[in-house]
Amino acid sequence: MHRRGWGMGIPSVCSGIEPGAKGVFSCRENGQKGDSLIQNDLNESFEEEVRAFLSDEEKLHLFDDLTKVNPVTTTTVLKCLQARYRVNLFYTNAGCSLVALNPFQPFSCLYSPELMREYHVALRPQDLKPHIFAVAEQTYRNVQNQMEPVNQSIIVSGESGAGKTWTSRCLMKFYASVAASAVCPKGSETVERIERRVLDSNPVMEAFGNACTLRNNNSSRFGKYIQLQLDRFHHLSGASIQTFLLEKTRVAYQAPNERNFHIFYQITKGATAEERLEWNLPEGAEYRWLPNSERNLDEDSLEVTRAAMCHLGIDRSTQSEVFKVLSGLLHLGNVQFSNPVDESQPCELEDKTKGFVKTTGDLLKIPVEELLESLRIRTITAGKQQQVFKKPCSRAECETRRDCLAKVIYARLFEWLVLVINESIYADPSVWTSFIGLLDVYGFEAFPENNLEQLCINYANEKLQQHFVAHYLKAQQEEYAAEGLQWSFINYQDNQNCLDLIEGNPLSIFSLLNEECRLNRPSNTHLLQTRIEKGLSGNHCLSRDRFSKKPNFIISHYAGKVCYQLAAMVEKNKDAVPPELLHVLQNSKDSLLQKLFPVAENNQNNIKTQNRAPVVTVVSKFKSSLEHLMQILDRTTPHYIRCIKPNADCKAMTFKGEEVLSQLQACGIVEAITISAAGFPVRIPFQRFTERYEILRQSCGPSKTRVRDKSSSHTAEEKGENAVMEEDKASRSAALEILQNVVVGQTTAEQTGSGAGTPSVYCGKTKVFLASSVAKMAALAAAELDEGEGKEFPAPGATVIPAKLPCSLDTAWPLQAIVQFWPLGLVLAAAPVTATGPRRDLALLGWLRGLRDSGSSRLDSSSLGCGIASIRALPQGSVRFHCRKSPLHYSNVSPHRDACSITGFNQILLDRKELLPT
């Protein structure tokens, strides 16, 4: 028996299930003894089903859509993914998501231009093997078809090292290829330039924003949302990049066995001899902020970065200025201080580092004396008279200022690069009408030591998980219930409590951190830990490591528990830059630093200081930018790609079940599969449904009702309470009539046996709901038509009145149902229809049906052998007719009207540009 809607657990006594009900069975409690016996029987029965499914291991890799897995459990899903991974099938559909397993080795054939083209020209890309190109093509066709909401977003998520950056890179190549080259006229340099610049933004962003970590050799240390902008012809006209939370602390601190940003290794390894002299980078020199430089990675290529920067409009001289500043940061990292003999005096420089201060000053074009003073002397303004005092900094404060100087320079440089890239690739708003967004954010992180950076990263992942839950798991089930469908809710993990803990009002971890930053005193981590525990003790997602002496707190995230250290968290949240450092950077003679730190900024800072404006903290800025991103995502049609890391060691073709299982459970894949398998992916409001298919309303004769009118089982009181339903009564009746006439062969609850049937069509209160099986059955019917044997072509002019349409789509149509009409090109070219676009196609279809019904004689089925069997619209704007036989010469481009011998073709593609007036 096909069992739909099984969740993670085993239900006890099933009750209250009407025939055709979907979802997880609801339960009731009777006697404990009876419950126990039935529970055991169900457990044994369910385990038998799981064993039976897993017994045929040779066929497990054939499940390219996990909604076909029966029963749906973590075990069956995991085994199918493992079987597919073994045979190099790394992409698997999972309801509304695509699961992407990282092979950790190159497979160039999977991302070739030829494969991109194959998915782009396919009649039904979803019928091909699951792939990121299938998702990309679906979003592109959604934009072409103007399906609301027209704008699309692809959310690429997963742990660090799961393959998110590579996936985003391949998606951008796909869009640049299909949205530009397909329409690019010969000699057009504009489109080629846009395409190339969009692609060249990737290596530049990765060089300056990615680094080698314990989990990933090319880990994104920032989040980015890339908006690919399309004009009204759906051609690529430009793009824009929005970035989030660059991990700038990596410039001055790298965890053991990790590296700094790629660009530092690129300039030290790829600079020419002349450039080494100019940038003061002698070969073999050691830098404290450049650990593990002996490791050679593919990402260490400076030439790739330089070529991309040139294409983006950053010339060689500007590049040299950028690399000179980066070289200055490397030398700054070698500057070390020693404690002074007299505390009233500034800290001394260690003898071996004095040369590095001079080199840093020369490269940044800052006088050495001013640079040293900004690092070692603190300026204090006090009293009503605004008296200025200077106080020497301690050794720790000097090192903090040194690191702060490096971080603020690199952060401003990164922002400037993003601005330059956006100016290079951005299109004027009047040019583009829609967009496809690619979101690539840092994966969920849990290290031995976690601080503010990990808290913000994991907060972003929580928000994206909530978006997935709200958009798909929660909203879909609530809509079914509101529309009156028979549906029992499937349990899923809602992370709202965790988000309330992190960002909620009035009290949360973020609010307590911000409050601590506003206090005019040094932060006390033990006191802050106590405040967090007392103020948020009611949230079960919060706990603490009581065996650790360091102040900490633990958050139970959707992907697991993470322990955060409070040390330095408040200081990082303040992200304060001493005014002495800003002043010395504004006085630099370097042209690039002058752009990054304009003098006008100093006056604004003085005004803010006098007015005592509230401190804008890191978490406040990050929360604001993330909320803006979520607003964008909420206004688009989302698509989800879940990147999965098969093993923590990044070993090629190694699948560790426990690690994969934890990722599947964390992101709710099993629940999504269960809901997708039992749900209705196609939902159309009555008014739009009747407007679109009005022409089909009277095209078929009366037929037996096969549409499940769920709301008809409601009481009169319920109907009376629903004002929307009363207002929509006419549209609803029209939709019912269309469905009853057109939707044939759909299974009703009474036909499936054992009361477990699942109707494929429901009429709710405001919408028509269609299951995916409708499309599958139509595809089967089309395949049977295409493969049917054609009879001898009868003489033109023979008139046919076809019999009633067949009652089922899963059997071959009788020949009487075929429309007899062979001069197809002439019909479309000369049809008296004034409408354009899809309405014209529907009118043509109605006209052909009218011709079909206009005759008065009947022919025996043996005399019928050709004619139109089915008509389908392609996303590119063409119409494909499926025929038994045709006198038309060409079937792959457009009909040939010359006289020719009669031969059989089962598909004729009519090109709209040639046959239909625009």
Side-chain angles (χ1 to χ4, degrees):
M1 180 183 69
H2 181 71
R3 190 187 307 270
R4 280 176 175 264
W6 282 94
M8 301 285 290
I10 313 299
S12 56
V13 182
C14 302
S15 67
I17 303 300
E18 300 179 37
K22 291 173 173 274
V24 169
F25 297 116
S26 60
C27 305
R28 68 181 177 201
E29 294 184 3
N30 291 326
Q32 290 184 349
K33 185 175 181 181
D35 279 355
S36 178
L37 290 174
I38 297 176
Q39 177 69 51
N40 291 336
D41 290 341
L42 286 171
N43 283 338
E44 292 175 4
S45 173
F46 189 70
E47 288 174 2
E48 286 178 7
E49 287 192 38
V50 173
R51 283 194 296 268
F53 177 82
L54 298 176
S55 61
D56 197 353
E57 294 185 4
E58 295 181 357
K59 294 184 178 180
L60 291 180
H61 72 279
L62 300 177
F63 287 89
D64 58 0
D65 190 339
L66 296 177
T67 60
K68 301 175 184 176
V69 172
N70 181 30
V72 178
T73 69
T74 52
T75 303
T76 54
V77 168
L78 186 66
K79 289 295 184 182
C80 287
L81 290 176
Q82 186 172 16
R84 292 177 62 78
Y85 192 73
R86 286 200 193 103
V87 294
N88 296 341
L89 296 173
F90 308 114
Y91 296 109
T92 309
N93 290 323
C96 63
S97 305
L98 177 73
V99 175
L101 291 164
N102 192 341
F104 293 116
Q105 70 179 50
F107 282 88
S108 57
C109 59
L110 276 177
Y111 311 99
S112 64
E114 294 77 18
L115 193 63
M116 293 183 191
R117 179 69 179 165
E118 181 180 347
Y119 278 87
H120 181 53
V121 302
L123 181 63
R124 288 173 52 85
Q126 60 269 36
D127 290 343
L128 302 178
K129 292 180 180 178
H131 202 285
I132 55 174
F133 294 160
V135 178
E137 179 62 21
Q138 184 60 56
T139 61
Y140 188 61
R141 294 190 183 189
N142 286 353
V143 172
Q144 286 182 314
N145 295 336
Q146 295 293 292
M147 296 179 62
E148 292 291 343
V150 176
N151 297 323
Q152 311 285 307
S153 285
I154 298 181
I155 301 168
V156 185
S157 61
E159 289 189 0
S160 179
K164 300 184 299 299
T165 299
W166 172 260
T167 298
S168 298
R169 191 188 305 171
C170 291
L171 288 171
M172 289 183 67
K173 288 181 179 178
F174 178 88
Y175 288 122
S177 173
V178 305
S181 60
V183 296
C184 177
K186 292 182 179 179
S188 174
E189 297 180 357
T190 304
V191 176
E192 291 180 359
R193 177 180 58 82
I194 294 171
E195 175 186 352
R196 186 160 190 176
R197 287 188 173 186
V198 168
L199 294 179
D200 282 332
S201 65
N202 260 333
V204 176
M205 298 298 292
E206 290 182 19
F208 285 84
N210 289 22
C212 176
T213 66
L214 291 173
R215 296 186 173 187
N216 185 5
N217 287 345
N218 190 31
S219 176
S220 298
R221 308 318 301 162
F222 69 106
K224 63 177 178 290
Y225 183 68
I226 304 170
Q227 199 176 76
L228 303 176
Q229 299 154 349
L230 307 175
D231 61 21
R232 63 190 182 95
F233 301 107
H234 315 124
H235 305 157
L236 185 65
S237 61
S240 68
I241 300 174
Q242 183 181 356
T243 60
F244 309 93
L245 195 71
L246 174 71
E247 189 190 28
K248 58 186 178 183
T249 54
R250 182 169 292 270
V251 176
Y253 171 77
Q254 305 81 36
N257 298 320
E258 293 195 354
R259 303 205 318 176
N260 210 322
F261 291 105
H262 293 322
I263 189 63
F264 290 107
Y265 300 89
Q266 291 179 6
I267 63 174
T268 54
K269 294 181 179 182
T272 64
E274 183 180 345
E275 289 169 338
R276 288 184 182 280
L277 288 175
E278 181 183 357
W279 305 338
N280 212 319
L281 290 175
E283 198 162 353
E286 294 184 359
Y287 304 95
R288 291 179 58 249
W289 289 349
L290 205 68
N292 302 305
S293 58
E294 69 281 357
R295 294 183 59 184
N296 293 314
L297 303 178
D298 295 337
E299 291 76 18
D300 291 344
S301 173
L302 179 62
E303 283 309 309
V304 173
T305 303
R306 300 192 79 155
M309 293 176 77
C310 284
H311 295 150
L312 291 168
I314 305 174
D315 56 36
R316 282 274 179 169
S317 61
T318 306
Q319 291 179 30
S320 183
E321 291 179 11
V322 171
F323 300 146
K324 187 183 294 185
V325 169
L326 295 177
S327 176
L329 299 187
L330 290 177
H331 287 275
L332 178 63
N334 284 355
V335 175
Q336 291 180 293
F337 301 91
S338 58
N339 291 318
V341 179
D342 184 358
E343 291 184 358
S344 63
Q345 298 299 317
C347 290
E348 298 292 333
L349 289 174
E350 292 189 1
D351 293 337
K352 61 181 180 180
T353 66
K354 289 181 179 179
F356 291 114
V357 176
K358 183 180 185 309
T359 305
T360 301
D362 293 342
L363 291 170
L364 301 182
K365 295 185 179 180
I366 299 174
V368 177
E369 296 77 13
E370 293 184 19
L371 178 61
L372 277 175
E373 183 176 345
S374 67
L375 294 176
R376 300 188 298 177
I377 305 295
R378 180 162 49 124
T379 303
I380 302 173
T381 304
K384 294 182 180 180
Q385 305 298 325
Q386 294 290 301
Q387 293 180 321
V388 177
F389 302 91
K390 292 189 176 182
K391 180 182 178 182
C393 298
S394 65
R395 178 183 176 182
E397 289 174 334
C398 291
E399 292 175 347
T400 300
R401 285 180 167 237
R402 175 202 62 200
D403 296 352
C404 182
L405 181 64
K407 289 187 290 185
V408 71
I409 291 175
Y410 195 83
R412 292 284 184 95
L413 177 61
F414 187 80
E415 291 174 1
W416 172 80
L417 268 176
V418 175
L419 181 64
V420 170
I421 292 173
N422 278 331
E423 289 177 349
S424 174
I425 63 179
Y426 186 70
D428 189 87
S430 62
V431 175
W432 59 275
T433 59
S434 55
F435 67 84
I436 300 174
L438 305 178
L439 179 61
D440 174 15
V441 294
Y442 3 63
F444 184 83
E445 291 187 350
F447 299 119
E449 296 282 331
N450 302 286
N451 210 280
L452 187 69
E453 296 86 358
Q454 283 68 45
L455 179 61
C456 290
I457 287 172
N458 294 339
Y459 162 63
N461 279 271
E462 289 284 355
K463 292 289 283 187
L464 291 175
Q465 178 66 10
Q466 187 195 45
H467 180 269
F468 173 73
V469 168
H471 174 78
Y472 194 79
L473 300 181
K474 184 177 181 180
Q476 182 165 306
Q477 297 193 89
E478 289 181 348
E479 182 178 20
Y480 293 161
E483 289 284 338
L485 275 66
Q486 295 171 351
W487 181 270
S488 296
F489 273 76
I490 294 173
N491 292 324
Y492 55 86
Q493 183 179 355
D494 192 343
N495 63 339
Q496 186 58 52
N497 283 337
C498 185
L499 284 170
D500 290 341
L501 173 66
I502 299 173
E503 64 166 1
N505 287 320
L507 204 61
S508 63
I509 290 174
F510 277 1
S511 68
L512 290 173
L513 281 174
N514 288 338
E515 185 179 335
E516 194 73 15
C517 291
R518 287 191 290 267
L519 298 176
N520 191 19
R521 59 170 175 75
S523 176
N524 187 317
T525 54
H526 290 281
L527 181 60
L528 179 58
Q529 176 182 259
T530 303
R531 293 186 65 197
I532 290 175
E533 284 184 343
K534 288 184 177 180
L536 302 171
S537 59
N539 195 308
H540 63 82
C541 293
L542 178 70
S543 58
R544 176 169 69 90
D545 182 4
R546 301 186 181 278
F547 296 100
S548 174
K549 295 182 180 179
K550 299 178 181 179
N552 67 86
F553 60 90
I554 296 175
I555 297 179
S556 297
H557 292 282
Y558 75 93
K561 292 184 176 181
V562 179
C563 182
Y564 298 94
Q565 280 69 42
L566 282 167
M569 187 174 285
V570 174
E571 286 70 25
K572 288 182 178 181
N573 190 35
K574 288 180 181 178
D575 196 28
V577 180
E580 299 86 3
L581 298 183
L582 289 176
H583 180 73
V584 77
L585 290 172
Q586 288 167 347
N587 291 337
S588 169
K589 302 302 180 183
D590 183 79
S591 59
L592 178 59
L593 288 179
Q594 288 175 352
K595 293 178 185 177
L596 302 182
F597 300 92
V599 178
E601 196 176 274
N602 190 34
N603 298 330
Q604 294 176 2
N605 289 335
N606 289 338
I607 294 173
K608 288 181 180 178
T609 303
Q610 294 171 7
N611 295 336
R612 297 187 179 276
V615 178
V616 181
T617 61
V618 169
V619 297
S620 296
K621 289 187 288 187
F622 184 63
K623 181 182 177 183
S624 176
S625 61
L626 197 58
E627 286 174 349
H628 175 65
L629 171 66
M630 301 312 296
Q631 290 173 359
I632 296 176
L633 294 181
D634 289 338
R635 294 194 297 266
T636 63
T637 299
H639 307 261
Y640 304 93
I641 298 178
R642 300 289 195 177
C643 296
I644 302 294
K645 192 174 182 180
N647 65 85
D649 302 320
C650 301
K651 291 183 179 179
M653 302 308 296
T654 301
F655 189 101
K656 294 186 178 180
E658 291 184 1
E659 296 178 17
V660 174
L661 180 60
S662 65
Q663 295 172 68
L664 292 176
Q665 290 175 328
C667 62
I669 285 292
V670 176
E671 293 91 336
I673 295 168
T674 305
I675 294 175
S676 297
F680 299 91
V682 181
R683 300 181 285 274
I684 309 174
F686 288 145
Q687 186 175 357
R688 286 181 57 195
F689 184 85
T690 52
E691 287 177 357
R692 187 167 186 176
Y693 301 109
E694 177 68 26
I695 196 169
L696 304 178
R697 191 172 176 183
Q698 301 295 339
S699 61
C700 301
S703 61
K704 185 178 178 180
T705 299
R706 297 178 180 89
V707 181
R708 183 63 178 261
D709 182 6
K710 171 58 199 154
S711 57
S712 63
S713 63
H714 286 193
T715 63
E717 291 85 357
E718 289 173 331
K719 289 185 177 180
E721 291 172 0
N722 196 330
V724 177
M725 181 178 175
E726 291 296 330
E727 295 172 2
D728 238 5
K729 190 173 181 180
S731 297
R732 189 174 181 284
S733 299
L736 272 171
E737 184 179 348
I738 293 171
L739 289 170
Q740 289 166 1
N741 287 336
V742 176
V743 180
V744 293
Q746 301 306 309
T747 306
T748 61
E750 292 76 19
Q751 292 174 322
T752 55
S754 304
T758 53
S760 297
V761 182
Y762 269 104
C763 253
K765 296 177 181 179
T766 63
K767 297 178 183 178
V768 174
F769 292 81
L770 304 175
S772 58
S773 58
V774 174
K776 294 176 183 176
M777 294 174 72
L780 288 173
E784 290 183 1
L785 286 171
D786 295 343
E787 296 170 3
E789 290 292 333
K791 302 292 183 181
E792 184 178 350
F793 188 77
T799 307
V800 179
I801 297 181
K804 187 190 298 182
L805 285 177
C807 60
S808 176
L809 286 177
D810 57 4
T811 59
W813 284 25
L815 293 176
Q816 293 93 330
I818 301 173
V819 180
Q820 174 71 25
F821 199 79
W822 66 265
L824 227 42
L826 184 62
V827 171
L828 290 178
V833 178
T834 57
T836 59
R839 292 183 180 275
R840 176 184 172 86
D841 297 336
L842 287 173
L844 288 170
L845 173 58
W847 191 51
L848 290 172
R849 289 179 182 243
L851 289 174
R852 180 196 69 185
D853 298 333
S854 62
S856 59
S857 62
R858 298 183 69 89
L859 291 181
D860 185 77
S861 63
S862 61
S863 66
L864 292 174
C866 72
I868 305 170
S870 64
I871 302 178
R872 277 176 253 170
L874 297 179
Q876 288 83 355
S878 304
V879 178
R880 187 180 292 276
F881 288 74
H882 283 243
C883 303
R884 294 300 181 109
K885 271 196 173 184
S886 168
L888 302 177
H889 196 191
Y890 297 112
S891 62
N892 57 346
V893 180
S894 60
H896 197 283
R897 297 170 188 155
D898 296 341
C900 60
S901 59
I902 298 172
T903 55
F905 293 100
N906 68 349
Q907 287 187 354
I908 298 129
L909 179 63
L910 304 181
D911 188 53
R912 184 175 64 179
K913 293 180 181 178
E914 291 190 18
L915 296 178
L916 300 180
T918 56

